[in-house]
Short mmCIF file of all heavy atoms in Angstrom, two decimals:
data_model
loop_
_atom_site.label_atom_id
_atom_site.label_comp_id
_atom_site.label_asym_id
_atom_site.label_seq_id
_atom_site.Cartn_x
_atom_site.Cartn_y
_atom_site.Cartn_z
N GLY A 151 -13.45 80.64 109.38
CA GLY A 151 -13.78 80.22 110.72
C GLY A 151 -14.77 79.09 110.74
O GLY A 151 -15.27 78.72 111.81
N ILE A 152 -15.11 78.53 109.60
CA ILE A 152 -16.05 77.37 109.50
C ILE A 152 -15.20 76.12 109.61
O ILE A 152 -14.27 75.95 108.84
CB ILE A 152 -16.82 77.41 108.19
CG1 ILE A 152 -17.62 78.70 108.06
CG2 ILE A 152 -17.77 76.18 108.07
CD1 ILE A 152 -18.21 78.93 106.68
N ASP A 153 -15.53 75.25 110.56
CA ASP A 153 -14.84 74.00 110.74
C ASP A 153 -14.71 73.24 109.43
O ASP A 153 -15.69 73.19 108.68
CB ASP A 153 -15.54 73.16 111.81
CG ASP A 153 -14.75 71.91 112.14
OD1 ASP A 153 -13.73 72.01 112.81
OD2 ASP A 153 -15.17 70.80 111.67
N GLN A 154 -13.54 72.66 109.15
CA GLN A 154 -13.32 71.96 107.90
C GLN A 154 -14.37 70.88 107.62
O GLN A 154 -14.84 70.71 106.49
CB GLN A 154 -11.89 71.40 107.83
CG GLN A 154 -11.53 70.76 106.52
CD GLN A 154 -11.89 69.26 106.43
OE1 GLN A 154 -11.87 68.55 107.40
NE2 GLN A 154 -12.26 68.84 105.24
N SER A 155 -14.74 70.11 108.66
CA SER A 155 -15.74 69.05 108.41
C SER A 155 -17.09 69.64 108.07
O SER A 155 -17.79 69.11 107.19
CB SER A 155 -15.83 68.14 109.64
OG SER A 155 -16.34 68.81 110.75
N ASP A 156 -17.47 70.75 108.68
CA ASP A 156 -18.71 71.42 108.32
C ASP A 156 -18.61 72.00 106.92
O ASP A 156 -19.59 71.92 106.14
CB ASP A 156 -19.04 72.56 109.33
CG ASP A 156 -19.46 72.00 110.69
OD1 ASP A 156 -19.96 70.87 110.76
OD2 ASP A 156 -19.32 72.76 111.66
N TYR A 157 -17.48 72.57 106.59
CA TYR A 157 -17.29 73.15 105.25
C TYR A 157 -17.40 72.05 104.23
O TYR A 157 -18.05 72.21 103.18
CB TYR A 157 -15.92 73.85 105.15
CG TYR A 157 -15.74 74.48 103.80
CD1 TYR A 157 -16.24 75.74 103.53
CD2 TYR A 157 -15.16 73.78 102.77
CE1 TYR A 157 -16.14 76.30 102.29
CE2 TYR A 157 -15.01 74.34 101.50
CZ TYR A 157 -15.51 75.61 101.27
OH TYR A 157 -15.40 76.15 100.01
N SER A 158 -16.82 70.87 104.47
CA SER A 158 -16.89 69.75 103.57
C SER A 158 -18.32 69.33 103.34
O SER A 158 -18.75 69.01 102.19
CB SER A 158 -16.05 68.59 104.12
OG SER A 158 -16.15 67.46 103.28
N LYS A 159 -19.11 69.34 104.41
CA LYS A 159 -20.56 68.97 104.26
C LYS A 159 -21.28 70.00 103.45
O LYS A 159 -22.17 69.67 102.65
CB LYS A 159 -21.17 68.81 105.64
CG LYS A 159 -20.71 67.60 106.40
CD LYS A 159 -21.25 67.57 107.79
CE LYS A 159 -20.59 66.45 108.59
NZ LYS A 159 -20.83 66.54 110.00
N ILE A 160 -20.97 71.28 103.64
CA ILE A 160 -21.63 72.33 102.83
C ILE A 160 -21.26 72.15 101.38
O ILE A 160 -22.11 72.17 100.49
CB ILE A 160 -21.17 73.74 103.33
CG1 ILE A 160 -21.74 74.01 104.75
CG2 ILE A 160 -21.58 74.82 102.37
CD1 ILE A 160 -21.11 75.20 105.45
N GLU A 161 -19.97 71.97 101.09
CA GLU A 161 -19.50 71.79 99.74
C GLU A 161 -20.05 70.55 99.09
O GLU A 161 -20.35 70.52 97.89
CB GLU A 161 -17.95 71.73 99.74
CG GLU A 161 -17.35 72.00 98.39
CD GLU A 161 -15.85 72.10 98.45
OE1 GLU A 161 -15.36 73.25 98.67
OE2 GLU A 161 -15.17 71.09 98.32
N GLY A 162 -20.27 69.49 99.86
CA GLY A 162 -20.79 68.23 99.35
C GLY A 162 -22.32 68.21 99.28
O GLY A 162 -22.86 67.20 98.79
N GLY A 163 -22.97 69.27 99.70
CA GLY A 163 -24.42 69.31 99.65
C GLY A 163 -25.12 68.54 100.75
O GLY A 163 -26.33 68.33 100.68
N LYS A 164 -24.40 68.16 101.79
CA LYS A 164 -24.99 67.43 102.90
C LYS A 164 -25.49 68.36 103.99
O LYS A 164 -26.17 67.95 104.93
CB LYS A 164 -23.98 66.45 103.49
CG LYS A 164 -23.58 65.36 102.52
CD LYS A 164 -22.58 64.42 103.11
CE LYS A 164 -22.26 63.33 102.10
NZ LYS A 164 -20.85 63.09 101.93
#
Side-chain angles (χ1 to χ4, degrees):
I152 301 168
D153 185 74
Q154 185 272 327
S155 64
D156 289 335
Y157 183 85
S158 178
K159 290 174 188 167
I160 292 167
E161 198 172 270
K164 295 179 178 133

